[in-house]
Amino acid sequence: MAEISRRRFIQAFGAVAATSSFALAGCGAQRASEADGSAAAGGTADTITFAQGADPRGLDPAYVDDGESAKIMCNIYDTLLRYDTETCDIVPGLAELPDVSDDGLTYTFTLQEGVKFHDGTDCNAEAVMTSIVRQLEPERTEDMPYASFVFGSEASNNGVASVEAPDDTTLVITLRAASTPFIKNMAMALAAPVVAPSAIEAGDSNENPIGSGPYKFVSWSKGENVVLEANEDYWDADHMPQTKNVIFRFIAENSSRVTALNNGEVDIIDGIDASVVPTITDAGNELFEEDGMNINYMAFRNDEGAFSTVEARRAFCQAVNVEEMVESLYGDYAGVATSVMPLWMAPYDKDIQQTAYDPETAKAAFAELGITSCTMLTYTNPRPYNSIGGQALAEAIQGYLADAGVDMEIVSYDWTTYQTKVETDAFDCCLYGWVGDNGDPDNFMNLLADENVSMNVGRYRSDAYNALIQQGLATPEGDERDNIYKQCEQMVADEMPWMLISHSKNLAGYSPKVKGFYYHPTGVVHLEGVTKEA
């Protein structure tokens, strides 16, 4: 079985790695000139080009939930609070660290004075309030995927109850219940960034963003690039943009991004896999490599379909040799997931065991349950938690299911389309993943309690699980809170709403001329401090 499986994986993996780079032909010369830029003062280039695998879904943080959008938006917008450069430690942003009332419900933020949005309007407390209130009930709309995740809901009796702006530099946020991760949420790249009221009122903030961040939006050519330019009037002297122009280019194929980097057409790439690392480093480019804050998983459709019962989900998990699959597909650049949370994140518990590989038992269980076929939805693009893309991973799982007597149909879409399809189409299971937003265990475990399908794609519902999540939100950091999330982890292991697959390393390739680049654990790239030698 091991040798047959490994051969199957290599074939699927090779199909991805061998994708041709001919798509760059005919436009390379033009884009090379974009990437190189002309020499600026001090011997640095005036343009840095970052290549990622797909377009953003949008550029207003209230309306998107994906990393491709977040990487761009974090350079356009500011947040009340920031993460430190290399960690999820909280530092001041648009505001100083807040004063918190004794009952943990009222947060008073003092804002920086004189901050302007890119259109010259004031970024004051009233503006911040406008950006937040539109995401609160009842103003919130169904196309705001992160709103309930960041700002809570009345039905759950959590999150933000009210926002007030008593003067230009004072913002008062009152919560319904104490929330330990709330301060971290205020630094997140989705929902939390402050959008100019003028952009909101214009109604096109998703395609014409206006923030107060280190870079201004210039243009978005769909399928090609997003162009940003330095905000020369940026309010924060410690984070002034060091490069005049930033271009985010969209190149779907891994090998094509590598070719673009090695040819000098782009300066930084992400979404790379183990097969292309030697190609990058042998060409003299640098590899950024660090343990990521992510989870690569397969979600069962819990509310209907072939795997709506625990027995069926257990049979599926028994059919797939996850350890062998992860080693074969990802090599040294991912580890087997035995926890929803990254293994280095407290409160990881090594004693919680996932369903063990048992192919004969799986085959017998499928036969008894009468399950002979199923449908899996997947995506084609590489993801931060799945560098080879969903098609190759789906085909590997498909092979295991075939050995267990189940014919699995794979339906694939590009990433942007896929995120809509998992909300609208019927399926039995789908591949998905998550990159942590803030370093808090709630940010991972809360996904399975979220009512929003874009977060909880498997439609898992459990009153007992939701009650634990509410306890975790209100409990201060420490052993008691850790124990609550361990109970959540045990419920996931017992009920198997997901089949856990892997935790990936953050990988990026970049030119040796690039200085100051760091891929943040949250999966975003702040480029204001990055330069490139001319």
Side-chain angles (χ1 to χ4, degrees):
M1 174 66 180
E3 287 304 313
I4 294 173
S5 298
R6 188 170 299 276
R7 193 159 52 247
R8 177 195 306 138
F9 297 146
I10 291 172
Q11 289 169 351
F13 191 48
V16 175
T19 303
S20 74
S21 58
F22 73 89
L24 291 174
C27 54
Q30 175 188 350
R31 286 173 182 165
S33 65
E34 290 177 350
D36 289 341
S38 57
T44 59
D46 65 6
T47 301
I48 287 178
T49 301
F50 183 104
Q52 61 186 41
D55 277 81
R57 293 192 75 194
L59 295 173
D60 183 330
Y63 295 106
V64 295
D65 60 357
D66 67 306
E68 307 295 32
S69 302
K71 281 180 285 191
I72 300 172
M73 292 188 304
C74 71
N75 294 280
I76 298 172
Y77 299 105
D78 286 313
T79 44
L80 285 174
L81 303 173
R82 288 180 170 137
Y83 301 122
D84 202 8
T85 303
E86 298 184 5
T87 71
C88 289
D89 294 341
I90 297 297
V91 297
L94 277 175
E96 299 298 325
L97 297 180
D99 292 326
V100 185
S101 62
D102 291 341
D103 61 6
L105 297 179
T106 303
Y107 289 70
T108 302
F109 295 88
T110 300
L111 275 61
Q112 305 288 342
E113 294 186 24
V115 177
K116 299 286 187 180
F117 288 111
H118 299 152
D119 64 353
T121 56
D122 292 331
C123 182
N124 54 24
E126 186 77 22
V128 177
M129 183 173 70
T130 298
S131 189
I132 294 174
V133 167
R134 66 184 176 133
Q135 299 181 76
L136 306 182
E137 297 163 318
E139 285 80 6
R140 162 187 312 165
T141 55
E142 291 184 357
D143 54 355
M144 293 180 172
Y146 252 73
S148 62
F149 199 76
V150 174
F151 299 113
S153 66
E154 187 173 357
S156 300
N157 191 37
N158 63 16
V160 176
S162 66
V163 186
E164 300 173 274
D167 58 55
D168 282 352
T169 59
T170 305
L171 186 77
V172 181
I173 298 179
T174 302
L175 306 183
R176 295 186 181 92
S179 174
T180 297
F182 178 70
I183 283 184
K184 290 183 178 180
N185 287 353
M186 290 300 94
M188 284 167 48
L190 299 169
V194 178
V195 178
S198 58
I200 297 170
E201 292 164 7
D204 63 349
S205 53
N206 225 13
E207 300 210 358
N208 290 288
I210 302 174
S212 61
Y215 282 95
K216 300 178 181 181
F217 173 76
V218 176
S219 64
W220 179 2
S221 299
K222 299 294 178 66
E224 295 289 334
N225 60 45
V226 166
V227 178
L228 309 179
E229 66 179 5
N231 177 9
E232 296 180 356
D233 299 318
Y234 191 49
W235 60 272
D236 189 348
D238 293 333
H239 292 85
M240 287 293 293
Q242 300 300 302
T243 300
K244 183 178 179 181
N245 306 300
V246 166
I247 298 173
F248 285 87
R249 255 187 79 186
F250 315 130
I251 305 175
E253 295 84 5
N254 286 9
S255 60
S256 296
R257 282 195 305 283
V258 173
T259 299
L261 176 66
N262 289 349
N263 286 347
E265 298 172 38
V266 303
D267 305 308
I268 310 168
I269 63 173
D270 71 350
I272 59 179
D273 58 60
S275 72
V276 300
V277 168
T279 307
I280 291 170
T281 55
D282 289 350
N285 289 305
E286 303 288 340
L287 180 72
F288 180 93
E289 175 187 349
E290 190 169 276
D291 287 338
M293 186 168 63
N294 57 63
I295 174 69
N296 180 23
Y297 64 86
M298 190 200 75
F300 293 105
R301 187 71 185 257
N302 287 256
D303 60 337
E304 62 182 34
F307 305 114
S308 58
T309 66
V310 170
E311 292 76 17
R313 297 195 291 271
R314 181 179 295 111
F316 193 111
C317 293
Q318 289 172 328
V320 180
N321 189 336
V322 173
E323 183 174 356
E324 177 189 62
M325 182 171 68
V326 169
E327 180 183 352
S328 298
L329 291 179
Y330 304 111
D332 295 333
Y333 298 107
V336 175
T338 58
S339 165
V340 174
M341 295 176 288
L343 306 189
W344 50 264
M345 180 185 287
Y348 166 65
D349 188 343
K350 62 181 175 58
D351 294 329
I352 296 175
Q353 301 294 314
Q354 305 301 319
T355 301
Y357 175 56
D358 189 346
E360 294 306 317
T361 299
K363 189 172 185 177
F366 280 138
E368 183 176 347
L369 292 166
I371 298 174
T372 59
S373 63
C374 64
T375 299
M376 172 185 278
L377 296 189
T378 191
Y379 49 88
T380 55
N381 304 79
R383 305 299 304 144
Y385 42 78
N386 177 18
S387 59
I388 64 170
Q391 184 68 32
L393 178 56
E395 289 172 3
I397 295 172
Q398 182 186 51
Y400 280 120
L401 266 288
D403 292 342
V406 177
D407 180 20
M408 189 176 80
E409 178 188 11
I410 300 171
V411 182
S412 303
Y413 300 96
D414 67 90
W415 175 248
T416 303
T417 304
Y418 178 71
Q419 288 196 289
T420 299
K421 292 294 186 179
V422 293
E423 297 183 32
T424 61
D425 289 13
F427 62 89
D428 297 305
C429 54
C430 70
L431 293 180
Y432 225 65
W434 183 255
V435 177
D437 296 291
N438 62 15
D440 191 273
D442 172 78
N443 189 249
F444 281 82
M445 305 311 300
N446 205 334
L447 292 168
L448 285 160
D450 203 300
E451 294 291 327
N452 194 315
V453 174
S454 69
M455 297 291 182
N456 188 359
V457 292
R459 283 82 161 172
Y460 175 68
R461 299 287 183 264
S462 167
D463 291 342
Y465 187 90
N466 292 359
L468 285 172
I469 291 296
Q470 294 307 312
Q471 290 179 39
L473 284 170
T475 304
E477 291 183 349
D479 291 344
E480 181 181 356
R481 189 168 191 253
D482 288 351
N483 184 57
I484 291 168
Y485 290 111
K486 288 178 183 179
Q487 292 180 63
C488 290
E489 285 271 25
Q490 188 63 61
M491 287 189 70
V492 173
D494 293 342
E495 299 188 15
M496 294 159 287
W498 294 349
M499 183 180 75
L500 308 184
I501 299 174
S502 60
H503 300 292
S504 296
K505 289 189 174 184
N506 282 344
L507 296 177
Y510 61 98
S511 165
K513 294 182 178 181
V514 170
K515 309 299 178 185
F517 171 72
Y518 191 85
Y519 206 116
H520 196 266
T522 57
V524 300
V525 287
H526 292 275
L527 296 177
E528 66 268 17
V530 180
T531 60
K532 175 189 170 186
E533 295 174 351

